[in-house]
């Protein structure tokens, strides 16, 4: 929708004022926001036109107006278009330091959810990484007591998974060294889908009396990767919902809290295909904004959701979502997400941990 400059400034002033106050915005308030001198009568006429265009609405008999989903959509699309032209956002150094102190991926994602919720004052959801055609980097068999083996599986993105096998016998260092060499020389750089019957048969023949262990190690490798097909959700900031009166009326807040606690419905948000008109910044982090009725979860139709994709390596990706009122500070949320993406890029260096 094309708007002339004056209507656009008035619409944006209404949106920005409503973001701050949550109260309908009148012509006198708008006149204080604008960088040009316009009479209240002129502003009222322009507001009337904006209302006819479906971009703002008068919620009750007061003179004030609030943005509609359509108005927010026009504003957000313009914001994302401008974001593409700007330099990358600076990272949040405090959050960056907190994240860098965490070694395990799961703990890092939970910490990141808390940081995002604190920085935005909205609710946050982050999914654990999904492994699509993820390649094996390294397998390590180490002895344990009572006839057990520790199987350490490292995949692209330096994702580490541990498994314990009960083999029923003690193995010598030479036997383990031989098995480690056999596994890594045959499997490094392959995806689960590429480990075919020929490879398995060859490895079992070379393993001789330890062929059963090779078979069980392969099962452990498959379980390590496929176990991640069940999405993990890390949430934070649910109490922030109570800061916004429009989300606390009736049973709105309780339904939102229940959805965040149940977590499974959140998959409909973070894995939602791009809806028509949902907007996006067009970069590899695929920042998308869903407003009101565009949100695919019924309990969140009074909300807006901004999502982005993080990537640990090729084929290893997850999603981040920020959930707030429709009057959320979209510019701040988008900048915060871009900053978070920059942190992750820096930490994983496009799939490889940086060496300090």
């Amino acid at each position: 929708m094309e708007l002339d400059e004056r209507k656009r400034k008035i619409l944006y002033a209404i949106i920005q004022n409503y973001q701050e106050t949550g109260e309908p915005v009148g012509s006198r308030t708008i006149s204080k926001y604008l960088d040009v001198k316009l009479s209240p009568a002129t502003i009222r006429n322009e507001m009337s036109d904006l209302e006819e265009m479906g971009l703002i609405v008068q919620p009750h008999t007061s003179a004030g107006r609030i943005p509609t989903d359509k108005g927010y959509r026009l504003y957000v699309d313009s914001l994302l278009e401008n974001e593409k032209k700007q330099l990358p956002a600076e990272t949040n150094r405090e959050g960056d330091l907190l994240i860098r102190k965490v070694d395990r991926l799961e703990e890092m994602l939970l910490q990141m959810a808390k940081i995002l919720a604190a920085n935005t004052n909205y609710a946050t959801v982050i999914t654990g990484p999904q492994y699509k055609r993820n390649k094996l980097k390294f397998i390590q068999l180490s002895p344990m007591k009572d006839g057990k083996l520790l199987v350490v599986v490292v995949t692209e993105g330096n994702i580490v998974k541990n498994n314990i096998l009960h083999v029923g016998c003690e193995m010598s260092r030479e036997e383990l060294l031989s098995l480690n060499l056999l596994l890594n020389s045959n499997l490094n750089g392959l995806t689960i889908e590429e480990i075919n019957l020929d490879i398995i048969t060859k490895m079992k023949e070379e393993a001789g009396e330890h062929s059963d262990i090779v078979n069980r190690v392969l099962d452990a490798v498959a379980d390590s990767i496929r176990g991640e097909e069940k999405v993990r959700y890390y949430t934070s900031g649910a109490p922030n919902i109570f800061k916004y009166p429009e989300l606390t009326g009736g049973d709105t807040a309780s339904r939102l809290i229940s959805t965040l606690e149940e977590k499974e419905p959140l998959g409909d948000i973070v894995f939602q295909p791009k809806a028509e008109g949902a907007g996006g910044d067009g970069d590899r982090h695929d920042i998308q904004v869903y407003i009101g009725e565009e949100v695919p979860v019924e309990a969140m139709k009074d909300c807006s959701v901004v999502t982005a994709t993080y990537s640990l390596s090729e084929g290893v990706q997850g999603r981040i979502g920020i959930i707030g009122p429709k009057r959320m500070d979209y510019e701040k949320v988008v900048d915060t997400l871009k900053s978070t993406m920059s942190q992750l890029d820096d930490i994983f260096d496009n799939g490889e941990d940086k060496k300090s």
Side-chain angles (χ1 to χ4, degrees):
M1 180 181 296
E2 293 296 329
L3 292 181
D4 62 46
E5 188 63 18
R6 189 159 71 182
K7 284 187 175 62
R8 186 177 296 274
K9 285 184 176 182
I10 290 173
L11 173 62
Y12 290 3
I14 292 172
I15 290 174
Q16 290 162 2
N17 188 271
Y18 186 61
Q19 284 176 343
E20 296 173 6
T21 67
E23 298 292 335
V25 185
S27 57
R28 292 187 181 278
T29 301
I30 294 303
S31 65
K32 299 174 184 177
Y33 260 72
L34 299 178
D35 56 4
V36 295
K37 290 291 185 180
L38 294 175
S39 69
T42 299
I43 295 174
R44 283 194 295 270
N45 288 335
E46 296 287 9
M47 290 172 70
S48 179
D49 290 344
L50 291 171
E51 190 167 7
E52 288 183 8
M53 299 167 76
L55 300 175
I56 60 175
V57 68
Q58 188 174 21
H60 42 75
T61 55
S62 73
R65 305 292 196 279
I66 65 173
T68 63
D69 289 5
K70 188 176 179 181
Y72 281 126
R73 169 53 56 206
L74 190 148
Y75 171 77
V76 167
D77 287 348
S78 175
L79 170 66
L80 292 176
E81 184 63 29
N82 289 334
E83 285 283 344
K84 286 197 295 185
K85 302 173 183 177
Q86 296 176 5
L87 295 173
E90 292 185 3
T91 58
N92 179 322
R93 293 303 169 191
E94 180 182 359
D96 191 35
L97 291 173
L98 283 171
I99 290 172
R100 286 179 179 278
K101 291 178 181 178
V102 182
D103 295 326
R104 293 181 58 82
L105 179 63
E106 292 86 351
E107 293 174 357
M108 185 190 76
L109 293 176
L110 181 57
Q111 184 66 57
M112 187 180 298
K114 292 178 180 179
I115 292 170
L116 285 171
N119 287 350
T120 62
N121 279 318
Y122 304 127
T124 302
V125 56
I126 301 179
T127 72
Q130 297 298 286
Y131 303 83
K132 301 182 185 300
R133 295 189 59 78
N134 195 22
K135 295 180 180 180
L136 289 166
K137 288 185 63 176
F138 187 69
I139 299 172
Q140 176 69 48
L141 304 183
S142 300
M144 299 179 67
K145 294 181 179 179
D146 303 322
K148 298 176 184 177
L149 283 181
L150 173 65
V151 182
V152 180
V153 180
V154 183
T155 60
E156 279 188 333
N158 288 342
I159 309 301
V160 180
K161 294 293 178 181
N162 299 323
N163 294 270
I164 296 176
L165 295 185
H166 296 262
V167 295
C169 63
E170 301 293 333
M171 299 184 66
S172 68
R173 177 174 298 183
E174 290 76 15
E175 288 174 316
L176 284 177
L177 181 62
S178 178
L179 279 179
N180 279 321
L181 181 61
L182 174 67
L183 290 165
N184 285 288
S185 62
N186 283 278
L187 301 180
N188 280 5
L190 298 182
T191 67
I192 287 296
E193 292 79 8
E194 292 170 337
I195 303 175
N196 56 37
L197 184 59
D198 289 342
I199 294 174
I200 295 173
T201 301
K202 175 176 175 289
M203 291 175 60
K204 291 177 72 173
E205 288 177 353
E206 293 183 16
E209 63 178 310
H210 298 310
S211 62
D212 181 60
I213 293 178
V214 168
N215 207 47
R216 295 177 63 190
V217 169
L218 289 172
D219 288 341
V221 169
D223 289 343
S224 294
I225 296 179
R226 288 175 180 154
E228 293 300 325
E229 290 179 358
K230 181 175 174 58
V231 182
R232 297 185 182 182
Y233 297 94
Y234 305 87
T235 60
S236 187
N240 287 338
I241 289 169
F242 295 101
K243 297 178 180 180
Y244 307 98
E246 63 267 41
L247 297 181
T248 58
D251 63 347
T252 300
S254 62
R255 289 189 293 119
L256 282 171
I257 297 295
S258 295
T259 300
L260 289 168
E261 289 178 346
E262 291 170 13
K263 297 185 178 181
E264 294 302 322
L266 298 174
D268 292 336
I269 298 174
V270 292
F271 296 120
Q272 169 78 352
K274 182 178 177 181
E276 183 178 352
D281 67 346
D283 74 3
R284 66 191 181 88
H285 293 132
D286 191 29
I287 294 179
Q288 305 288 340
V289 181
Y290 301 90
I291 300 169
E293 290 300 319
E294 296 170 353
V295 181
V297 177
E298 188 61 35
M300 295 184 174
K301 294 296 185 182
D302 293 323
C303 299
S304 283
V305 181
V306 184
T307 65
T309 299
Y310 69 84
S311 178
L312 307 188
S313 66
E314 183 180 354
V316 186
Q317 295 183 332
R319 296 284 283 172
I320 298 176
I322 307 293
I323 304 161
K326 288 190 283 189
R327 63 181 173 100
M328 71 160 54
D329 188 337
Y330 295 96
E331 184 172 6
K332 178 180 180 180
V333 169
V334 170
D335 285 345
T336 300
L337 282 175
K338 283 181 176 270
S339 172
T340 301
M341 298 301 106
S342 295
Q343 291 178 45
L344 283 173
D345 287 346
D346 185 41
I347 291 169
F348 291 101
D349 193 20
N350 296 321
E352 296 291 330
D353 282 331
K354 280 194 171 184
K355 308 299 180 187
S356 55

